[in-house]
């Protein structure tokens, strides 16, 4: 099929939907798009200057007039939206979605789409403000002919992403491995800082090195929409297990610190580090180095670094160890945030002198004790919220902290983009 005879439909014009509409239309494809009815006039104004983008009043019209339809809606709402517009799908069309959890998405497609409709779904493993070039784009040929799959690849090639072919099941397992616990860690950091009424970039012990990554990525996550993280965490069964294990790891390590159990803490940390990073990685170049870590700061760097026990990092590696996850196995379809987080954990665990300092600090130094207490509460709280499947509570918790940090989002996003570009340049060689 030639470009002039193919129309791409996008149902859901949030940040990712708009990014897809813009890039696909810029590549020369006709795009039919819609959102909820009350946004119709606003979207028409926003895209008035783009002749290839046609804003329609509703998903029925998009479905009837498009050859490849992408549902770019929240995971929580996918079944409801597909039930509403799926029966109107053009005969023989291809349908896909952009949710971060494919099990409910595929179930909705199988339940509500006509049998003659083909299913090729996708997932861009990055946020809307990240350049998609070189980023992983998962493509799932669930129910489709090869020529239909080839057409979807051709359409989405305009993103210039790295295509990764997976099943829906493999996608959900890998995204849980690479995203669920990563998000939980940063969400918990933000919760702890807010609970202590702290803006960490204003406190010298949180400026420089690893702390820069913690702060910038936490703010980056909270600057996005809550549902981006809620759907993955709550609807993916593997994610629930991993978030619970992370909370358990945080709690157990914190108790060892409080009890002064140096030898037990050291043995557990180093056993986990050996299992995750292993001797085979000892000769490989680190993903992040000192000059990279120190470059991206929201605050003034102090003359001397304050030692930190890095409970969040220790718990991450402990969690990977307990779950049998080797994070390097999923680099091909990992998010920029995961690569940053892997970079700082690797930096800590592959520097023996720094790891020994962390263990000593964990037992002998109370500087971060109140922060660690709130972090432990936060990790358990987020885990409970996910375990209960409570989207409303998740949103309330998220948006309360989002409001607290909002004044620094613009600067953090700029610095975070620079950090992500740096880490991507490094990991392209991995």
């Amino acid at each position: 099929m030639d470009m002039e005879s193919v129309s791409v439909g996008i149902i859901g014009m949030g940040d990712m939907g708009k990014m897809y509409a813009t890039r696909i239309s810029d590549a020369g494809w006709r795009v039919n798009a819609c959102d909820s009815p009350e946004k119709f006039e606003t979207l028409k104004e926003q895209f008035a200057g783009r002749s290839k983008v046609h804003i329609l009043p509703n998903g029925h019209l998009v479905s009837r007039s498009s050859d490849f339809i992408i549902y770019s809606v929240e995971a929580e709402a996918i079944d409801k939206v597909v039930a509403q517009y799926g029966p109107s799908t053009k005969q023989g069309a291809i349908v896909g979605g952009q949710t971060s959890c494919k099990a409910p998405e595929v179930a909705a497609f199988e339940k509500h789409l006509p049998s003659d409709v083909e299913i090729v779904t996708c997932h861009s493993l990055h946020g809307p403000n990240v350049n998609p070039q070189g980023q992983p784009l998962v493509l799932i040929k669930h129910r489709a002919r090869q020529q239909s799959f080839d057409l979807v690849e051709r359409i989405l090639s305009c993103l210039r992403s790295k295509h990764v072919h997976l099943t829906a099941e493999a996608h959900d397992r890998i995204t849980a491995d690479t995203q669920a616990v990563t998000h939980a860690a940063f969400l918990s950091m933000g919760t702890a800082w807010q609970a202590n009424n702290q803006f960490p970039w204003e406190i010298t012990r949180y400026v420089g090195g690893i702390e820069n990554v913690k702060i910038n990525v936490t703010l980056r996550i909270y600057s996005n929409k809550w549902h981006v993280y809620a759907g993955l965490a709550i609807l993916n069964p593997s994610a629930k297990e991993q978030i619970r294990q992370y909370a358990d790891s945080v709690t157990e390590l914190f108790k060892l610190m409080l009890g002064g159990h140096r030898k037990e803490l050291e043995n557990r940390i180093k056993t986990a580090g050996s299992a995750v990073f292993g001797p085979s990685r000892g000769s490989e170049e680190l993903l992040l180095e000192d000059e990279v870590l120190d470059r991206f700061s929201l605050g003034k760097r102090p003359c001397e670094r304050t030692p930190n026990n890095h409970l969040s990092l220790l718990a991450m590696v402990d969690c990977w160890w307990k779950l049998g996850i080797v994070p390097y196995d999923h680099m091909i379809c990992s998010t920029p945030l995961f690569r940053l987080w892997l970079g700082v954990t690797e930096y800590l665990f592959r520097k023996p002198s720094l790891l020994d300092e962390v263990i000593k600090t964990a037992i002998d130094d109370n500087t971060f004790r109140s922060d660690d207490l709130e972090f432990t509460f936060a990790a358990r709280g987020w885990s409970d919220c996910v375990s209960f499947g409570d989207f409303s509570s998740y949103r309330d918790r998220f948006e309360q902290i989002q409001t607290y940090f909002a004044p620094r989002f613009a600067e953090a996003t700029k610095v975070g983009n620079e950090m992500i570009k740096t880490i991507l340049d490094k990991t392209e060689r991995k």
Side-chain angles (χ1 to χ4, degrees):
M1 300 176 72
D2 60 80
M3 186 178 289
E4 294 302 319
S5 65
V6 175
S7 293
V8 178
I10 299 177
I11 297 176
M13 288 290 278
D15 293 337
M16 286 300 287
K18 289 177 182 176
M19 188 273 281
Y20 263 54
T22 299
R23 290 183 177 271
I24 292 172
S25 63
D26 283 350
W29 302 93
R30 175 190 170 98
V31 174
N32 303 315
C34 74
D35 204 286
S36 52
E38 65 270 16
K39 297 179 182 179
F40 174 61
E41 294 298 335
T42 301
L43 283 172
K44 282 188 68 174
E45 291 178 10
Q46 289 179 356
F47 287 87
R50 292 183 172 274
S51 61
K52 288 285 186 178
V53 178
H54 302 266
I55 303 299
L56 303 179
N58 58 61
H60 293 295
L61 296 175
V62 171
S63 294
R64 293 305 297 165
S65 59
S66 304
D67 302 286
F68 172 44
I69 300 136
I70 303 170
Y71 282 82
S72 187
V73 300
E74 303 168 22
E76 181 189 14
I78 188 70
D79 185 77
K80 178 181 177 182
V81 177
V82 177
Q84 183 177 6
Y85 300 126
S88 298
T89 305
K90 181 179 180 180
Q91 186 174 9
I94 310 163
V95 172
Q98 253 282 32
T99 66
S100 58
C101 184
K102 292 304 177 189
E105 178 183 287
V106 167
F109 290 157
E110 291 179 338
K111 181 178 180 181
H112 302 298
L113 294 177
S115 59
D116 62 271
V117 172
E118 298 182 82
I119 302 171
V120 178
T121 194
C122 61
H123 183 200
S124 288
L125 290 167
H126 58 85
N129 297 317
V130 174
N131 186 342
Q133 181 175 348
Q135 299 288 352
L137 169 62
V138 174
L139 294 169
I140 299 168
K141 180 185 173 185
H142 184 72
R143 187 178 80 192
R145 296 167 297 162
Q146 186 59 42
Q147 66 188 68
S148 298
F149 185 74
D150 293 342
L151 175 61
V152 171
E153 284 211 288
R154 183 178 159 210
I155 292 170
L156 297 182
S157 66
C158 65
L159 301 175
R160 302 179 69 186
S161 299
K162 292 181 180 178
H163 292 187
V164 181
H165 299 169
L166 295 173
T167 64
E169 295 78 11
H171 167 276
D172 284 357
R173 186 181 66 254
I174 292 172
T175 52
D177 287 355
T178 57
Q179 295 186 53
V181 182
T182 307
H183 297 161
F186 290 112
L187 290 171
S188 299
M189 284 183 224
T191 304
W193 286 326
Q194 190 260 355
N196 278 333
N197 197 28
Q198 294 171 338
F199 294 105
W201 55 86
E202 296 177 352
I203 304 170
T204 55
R205 68 175 186 266
Y206 276 119
V207 177
I210 291 173
E211 312 301 345
N212 288 344
V213 175
K214 291 180 181 178
I215 293 169
N216 282 305
V217 177
T218 296
L219 293 186
R220 188 179 188 87
I221 284 177
Y222 276 108
S223 69
N224 288 321
K225 293 177 180 177
W226 68 276
H227 67 79
V228 173
Y229 309 104
L232 168 63
I234 293 175
L235 297 176
N236 189 327
S238 297
K240 290 184 179 182
E241 175 191 359
Q242 293 178 18
I243 293 169
R244 170 53 64 189
Q245 179 56 58
Y246 183 70
D248 289 345
S249 292
V250 169
T251 302
E252 291 165 14
L253 292 177
F254 185 54
K255 286 179 178 178
L256 291 176
M257 295 177 187
L258 285 178
H261 303 296
R262 184 188 304 270
K263 196 63 180 176
E264 187 178 350
L265 178 66
E266 181 177 4
N267 288 340
R268 179 162 175 170
I269 289 170
K270 291 190 174 180
T271 299
S274 178
V276 172
F277 299 105
S280 62
R281 302 235 168 235
S283 60
E284 294 184 10
E285 182 183 2
L286 290 171
L287 297 177
L288 291 174
E289 294 284 1
D290 292 296
E291 70 274 9
V292 174
L293 290 168
D294 286 331
R295 192 187 312 168
F296 306 102
S297 177
L298 291 178
K300 184 178 179 180
R301 186 183 174 190
C303 297
E304 294 186 8
R305 179 178 58 85
T306 302
N308 190 339
N309 61 54
H310 293 301
L311 175 58
S312 60
L313 294 172
L314 299 181
M316 179 62 64
V317 176
D318 188 83
C319 175
W320 284 334
W321 167 51
K322 292 287 188 179
L323 293 169
I325 294 172
V326 179
Y328 299 96
D329 291 348
H330 301 320
M331 289 294 282
I332 188 62
C333 51
S334 60
T335 64
L337 298 188
F338 175 77
R339 276 167 272 178
L340 279 170
W341 198 223
L342 176 58
V344 292
T345 55
E346 177 193 68
Y347 175 88
L348 170 59
F349 275 82
R350 286 182 53 197
K351 286 181 173 285
S353 60
L354 179 58
L355 189 59
D356 288 340
E357 177 192 276
V358 164
I359 294 169
K360 183 179 186 300
T361 303
I363 299 297
D364 299 334
D365 191 333
N366 291 326
T367 302
F368 288 88
R369 212 54 107 210
S370 64
D371 297 11
D372 291 338
L373 177 65
E374 292 293 351
F375 180 77
T376 303
F377 290 157
R380 294 171 70 89
W382 281 109
S383 178
D384 288 343
C385 186
V386 169
S387 296
F388 297 149
D390 191 341
F391 279 94
S392 179
S393 292
Y394 193 105
R395 180 174 187 173
D396 289 344
R397 287 170 64 88
F398 188 97
E399 291 184 341
Q400 178 186 4
I401 299 154
Q402 184 180 59
T403 301
Y404 179 77
F405 287 116
R408 295 302 289 266
F409 284 163
E411 183 180 357
T413 298
K414 179 181 178 182
V415 174
N417 284 342
E418 295 172 2
M419 288 180 67
I420 286 172
K421 183 179 185 301
T422 299
I423 189 67
L424 289 180
D425 291 342
K426 297 275 286 182
T427 54
E428 278 181 357
R429 299 192 294 270
K430 295 287 179 177

